[in-house]
Amino acid sequence: MVAVSGPVAAAPQVGIDAPADAGTVAPGETFTVTYELTNTGSDDATSGRLEFSTPTGINVTSVSGDGISTLNSDPPAVFYGLDGRITPGETKTTTVTFTVTSAAPGGDVQIGADGFFEGTATNASASTATVVNVDKPSPFELSAAPETVNTQAGEQFNVTYQYTNNRAVPASSGGIEFNISNNIVPQTSYGDGIGALDRNDPVVFYGASGPIAGGSTLTTTVSYVVRENTTVETEQIVATGSIQGVNSSDRAVTAVNIEQSIIDRYDTNGVPGIQFREVLTAIEDYNTSGEIGFSDVLTIIAEFNS
């Protein structure tokens, strides 16, 4: 991005060039940006400088190329022209190394740079910006396994949740809240945390037995049951985690595919339960179509005999 200002006649002008995107870095890593500061005017510049504005956690750590740097100044700067005037068309090239610390915000952050030329009678300035993506983990993460469950009405299944405090500091409390339809009922939880699953808004609480240590992962398994006579085919369990001291949350979603039970599939004559002809239909399907297995036929027979 190039910007120019100042009188056109007999004056230095500033053309500043830098990459718009510096890529992706993680805390503890460095990245470089090369700046080109060009006198695009018609007169010499008696001096010049390049100043940097950086967000918290991104620091200028070294400079190479043209100019003399003052990294500890506020703002950090590079000075040109100490070895002579900057003539029209002349370009000063400086490569700056930035270091990313854990204090840097996550996501896209902007590094600003302002270029200045001083002339005999007039001055000129221009600005540019470079974006770097800071790949910083969320303060905490929540995952669920499995992400997809295939089950039947009346059956029970388990989902295991992993809750990780990614921060270096402990948290005094946290928890998971579950958003579940009426067709799926949480039964119990085991592992870490204290469950309160018989509420309208089922939850698991962490921290009652001590702080959640920095870098630690808590594991909780919740057992669910699908209500009898459920006819819907798909449901979702949405788990939302939160942690004390952080104004954000993380979600983990489990898709629940509710298949028709083998009993419901063959209980088709309008009379509750399995009758003998329905047993024969199941055996015929096993022998001819292969759509059901041996264990399915045994389940039909057992239901007929019960």
Side-chain angles (χ1 to χ4, degrees):
M1 179 175 68
V2 178
V4 178
S5 63
V8 174
Q13 297 289 296
V14 181
I16 185 171
D17 187 65
D21 188 348
T24 299
V25 293
E29 296 180 343
T30 63
F31 65 97
T32 61
V33 179
T34 297
Y35 296 91
E36 293 183 346
L37 201 64
T38 303
N39 182 357
T40 60
S42 59
D43 197 9
D44 292 349
T46 57
S47 64
R49 74 183 185 277
L50 183 63
E51 296 181 350
F52 309 100
S53 57
T54 60
T56 300
I58 297 183
N59 303 320
V60 177
T61 51
S62 67
V63 174
S64 61
D66 297 323
I68 296 176
S69 62
T70 56
L71 302 186
N72 295 324
S73 62
D74 185 19
V78 178
F79 293 89
Y80 308 106
L82 301 180
D83 55 351
R85 291 173 176 264
I86 305 163
T87 59
E90 184 177 355
T91 296
K92 298 294 186 180
T93 302
T94 304
T95 298
V96 181
T97 299
F98 299 89
T99 298
V100 181
T101 73
S102 59
D108 288 344
V109 296
Q110 182 170 286
I111 312 299
D114 298 310
F116 303 89
F117 280 154
E118 295 182 0
T120 304
T122 61
N123 301 325
S125 64
S127 301
T128 188
T130 298
V131 173
V132 62
N133 180 266
V134 179
D135 184 13
K136 191 174 182 180
S138 302
F140 72 100
E141 293 178 275
L142 179 66
S143 64
E147 294 180 353
T148 301
V149 172
N150 297 315
T151 186
Q152 296 180 351
E155 290 192 353
Q156 182 171 301
F157 62 92
N158 295 336
V159 179
T160 297
Y161 299 92
Q162 289 194 324
Y163 178 105
T164 301
N165 179 11
N166 284 324
R167 300 182 300 170
V169 298
S172 62
S173 62
I176 307 174
E177 185 173 2
F178 304 94
N179 186 348
I180 315 168
S181 78
N182 290 330
N183 294 316
I184 298 175
V185 182
Q187 299 292 293
T188 186
S189 67
Y190 54 91
D192 297 314
I194 296 175
L197 303 180
D198 56 350
R199 298 162 45 94
N200 290 330
D201 52 345
V203 294
V204 170
F205 295 103
Y206 299 123
S209 59
I212 306 166
S216 66
T217 297
L218 304 178
T219 302
T220 304
T221 298
V222 179
S223 294
Y224 301 93
V225 66
V226 181
R227 292 188 186 275
E228 296 281 0
N229 302 319
T230 296
T231 58
V232 297
E233 297 181 352
T234 59
E235 292 283 13
Q236 280 189 335
I237 300 172
V238 179
T240 302
S242 58
I243 195 168
Q244 178 269 334
V246 176
N247 186 25
S248 64
S249 61
D250 195 19
R251 295 200 322 164
V253 179
T254 299
V256 182
N257 299 322
I258 303 172
E259 302 169 347
Q260 186 180 35
S261 71
I262 196 67
I263 300 299
D264 291 338
R265 178 174 175 178
Y266 285 93
D267 186 9
T268 58
N269 65 359
V271 179
I274 296 295
Q275 278 71 53
F276 182 66
R277 183 160 296 280
E278 292 165 330
V279 172
L280 295 180
T281 300
I283 294 173
E284 182 179 0
D285 286 347
Y286 172 75
N287 288 328
T288 59
S289 66
E291 292 182 1
I292 65 172
F294 179 68
S295 61
D296 294 327
V297 175
L298 294 184
T299 298
I300 296 295
I301 295 173
E303 180 69 16
F304 170 71
N305 289 327
S306 63

